[in-house]
């Protein structure tokens, strides 16, 4: 219906009609068509932000964030005034890890009630590990739009980073009730449930995440840990084998291979319960213990908590992988927290490429 109405409106309001057609084409995945319609919308001479934002989204969808930055910078240089341009530009800088440049874009815009800017300020603070400041921005955003699932998702990330797992669970569940197709939400909820000792619910959440985005392999690793935790070792082995087959060479791939060997030994010995639970858990945290019962980030990396951690014999930490995130259409990846030492409040911003 929107497509038909937009075509009917072309003779009367060409820029608006072409912008709508560009947005429709983009949502359908027709990037070339979206670009053509966006440039047609710009030809009317009106200084509207919409076509520039669509062009930036197209560049991001093509994996060219620097081109998106050029597009947005050009729009601002040409006098197109819209807070959404500043917000999109800042978030794109955040996505590629250029936090200082994002701060420069947002400088002087702190006194705002614009939702896009509040979210951009919050994401910048989150990326800089400034938990209190990030929470403040997202709480201000929640006042503007109390039902926004993205705001609640970000508040969930902050709560995880501060070790407030019960609050994190509430925020994430509220977010998912409004956006049940959020890979990032389900993946992070799985981690939170795992850390609270509910391995079965964690598995269910990670299965939902995998259903939404099977290209992200971090959740496959998490599922391996989850099934090992509940004593379903053959399923655990199958997930670790899939992870090894798809992952790039590196420490986590080596870890998964080591876990396969240990778990296969347990299966051959018929040790799938009881002793496995003792093997997987360390009852005392010492030194660099991360305090997780299992286990990002665009993500999800939350502060480590005292308690038990998942160990598998002498292979080292078997920590769930949170370097995963969903990517809402037309927006850059949002980095998830990488869980580190609670006392230091560490957060590493990393990006994980989809597996082969």
């Amino acid at each position: 219906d929107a497509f038909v109405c937009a075509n009917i409106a072309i003779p009367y309001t060409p820029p608006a009609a072409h912008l709508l057609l560009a947005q429709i084409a983009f949502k359908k995945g027709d990037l070339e068509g979206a670009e053509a319609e966006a440039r047609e919308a710009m030809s009317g001479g009106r200084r509207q932000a919409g076509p520039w934002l669509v062009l930036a989204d197209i560049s991001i969808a093509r994996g060219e964030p620097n081109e998106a930055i050029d597009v947005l910078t050009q729009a601002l240089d040409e006098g197109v005034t819209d807070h959404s341009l500043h917000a999109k530009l800042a978030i794109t800088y955040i996505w590629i890890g250029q936090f200082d440049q994002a701060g420069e874009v947002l400088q002087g815009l702190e006194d705002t009630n614009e939702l896009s800017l509040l979210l951009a300020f919050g994401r910048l603070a989150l990326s800089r590990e400034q938990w209190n400041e990030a929470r403040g921005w997202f709480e201000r955003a929640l006042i503007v739009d109390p039902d926004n699932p993205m705001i609640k998702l970000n508040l969930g990330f902050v709560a995880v980073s501060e070790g407030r797992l019960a609050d994190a669970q509430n925020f994430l569940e509220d977010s998912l009730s409004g956006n049940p197709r959020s890979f990032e939400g389900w993946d992070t909820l799985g981690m939170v449930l795992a850390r609270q000792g509910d391995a079965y619910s964690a598995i269910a959440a990670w299965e939902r995440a995998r259903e939404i985005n099977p290209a992200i392999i971090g959740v496959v690793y998490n599922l391996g840990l989850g099934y090992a935790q509940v004593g379903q070792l053959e399923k655990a082995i199958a997930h670790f084998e899939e992870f090894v087959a798809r992952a790039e060479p590196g420490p986590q791939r080596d870890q998964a291979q080591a876990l396969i060997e240990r778990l296969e030994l347990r299966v051959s010995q018929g040790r799938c319960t009881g002793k496995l639970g003792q093997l997987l858990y360390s009852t005392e945290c010492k030194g660099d213990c991360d305090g997780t019962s299992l286990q990002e980030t665009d993500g999800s990396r939350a502060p480590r908590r005292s308690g038990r951690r998942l160990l598998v014999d002498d292979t080292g930490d078997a920590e769930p992988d949170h370097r995963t995130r969903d990517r809402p259409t037309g927006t850059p990846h949002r980095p998830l927290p990488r869980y580190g030492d609670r006392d230091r409040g560490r957060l590493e911003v990393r990006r994980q490429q989809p597996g082969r």
Side-chain angles (χ1 to χ4, degrees):
D1 291 343
F3 179 81
V4 172
C5 292
N7 278 283
I8 293 174
I10 288 177
Y12 306 101
T13 56
H18 284 295
L19 174 58
L20 179 56
L21 288 170
Q23 294 167 338
I24 293 171
F26 181 81
K27 289 184 177 181
K28 290 182 176 180
D30 180 9
L31 301 185
E32 291 185 1
E35 182 176 359
E37 293 291 352
R39 296 196 181 281
E40 190 67 31
M42 295 168 65
S43 67
R46 293 178 58 184
R47 293 178 177 270
Q48 55 177 337
W52 295 95
L53 292 170
V54 172
L55 290 176
D57 286 342
I58 292 169
S59 295
I60 292 168
R62 288 172 172 165
E64 300 171 347
N66 289 320
E67 183 176 316
I69 288 171
D70 291 341
V71 167
L72 296 166
T73 302
Q74 181 183 349
L76 293 172
D77 290 343
E78 293 189 8
V80 182
T81 56
D82 193 293
H83 288 316
S84 59
L85 292 172
H86 290 89
K88 175 74 76 174
L89 181 56
I91 289 173
T92 307
Y93 273 127
I94 293 168
W95 179 33
I96 62 176
Q98 297 185 14
F99 304 143
D100 290 342
Q101 289 86 339
E104 291 176 4
V105 171
L106 296 173
Q107 190 172 3
L109 300 174
E110 292 83 0
D111 188 16
T112 182
N113 286 320
E114 291 288 336
L115 182 60
S116 60
L117 287 176
L118 293 171
L119 284 170
F121 275 113
R123 291 179 184 181
L124 178 58
L126 188 62
S127 299
R128 286 175 165 172
E129 310 174 22
Q130 299 167 340
W131 316 128
N132 289 336
E133 184 175 340
R135 185 176 355 98
W137 287 112
F138 293 134
E139 287 175 348
R140 284 175 59 180
L142 196 63
I143 294 173
V144 175
D145 189 353
D147 297 322
N148 190 303
M150 180 58 69
I151 300 171
K152 294 176 182 179
L153 181 64
N154 280 282
L155 283 168
F157 296 150
V158 174
V160 171
S161 300
E162 294 178 324
R164 297 182 290 110
L165 297 185
D167 290 341
Q169 181 177 343
N170 290 334
F171 281 124
L172 292 168
E173 289 176 345
D174 285 348
S175 174
L176 287 165
S177 68
N179 182 20
R181 296 293 299 172
S182 170
F183 171 90
E184 195 172 23
W186 286 111
D187 187 52
T188 308
L189 179 61
M191 179 277 301
V192 170
L193 292 167
R195 291 195 168 193
Q196 294 181 99
D198 190 351
Y200 286 101
S201 295
I203 290 171
W206 283 328
E207 291 284 12
R208 289 290 300 273
R210 188 184 189 192
E211 178 186 341
I212 293 167
N213 191 348
I216 301 297
I217 63 172
V219 71
V220 178
Y221 184 90
N222 292 351
L223 282 166
L225 293 178
Y227 282 115
Q229 181 60 49
V230 299
Q232 298 184 34
L233 301 196
E234 292 184 356
K235 285 188 176 182
I237 291 169
H239 282 88
F240 286 132
E241 287 178 337
E242 179 184 347
F243 180 84
V244 168
R246 297 174 60 192
E248 298 289 344
Q252 190 174 27
R253 187 174 182 272
D254 295 340
Q255 175 73 38
Q257 185 61 54
L259 291 172
I260 292 170
E261 295 171 4
R262 295 295 191 273
L263 294 175
E264 285 179 338
L265 178 62
R266 298 299 178 264
V267 171
S268 68
Q269 296 173 342
R271 297 166 59 187
C272 297
T273 59
K275 291 184 180 180
L276 177 68
Q278 285 187 333
L279 179 68
L280 291 178
Y281 276 106
S282 171
T283 58
E284 184 177 350
C285 248
K286 297 179 181 178
D288 63 349
C289 179
D290 67 356
T292 63
S293 55
L294 291 179
Q295 217 159 343
E296 153 167 261
T297 178
D298 141 48
S300 244
R301 288 197 184 181
R304 298 184 177 184
R305 298 170 58 84
S306 60
R308 299 180 296 180
R309 70 172 180 179
L310 178 65
L311 300 175
V312 178
D313 204 349
D314 59 349
T315 60
D317 293 346
E319 181 177 339
D321 179 42
H322 297 283
R323 292 171 294 174
T324 54
R325 60 195 57 78
D326 59 350
R327 182 181 181 182
T329 301
T331 61
H333 285 301
R334 197 208 150 274
L336 272 181
R338 175 69 181 169
Y339 299 98
D341 191 322
R342 184 181 186 180
D343 295 332
R344 294 194 300 266
R346 297 205 37 95
L347 179 145
E348 301 172 17
V349 177
R350 300 179 180 178
R351 290 188 291 156
Q352 173 173 309
Q353 298 296 329
R356 293 189 300 269

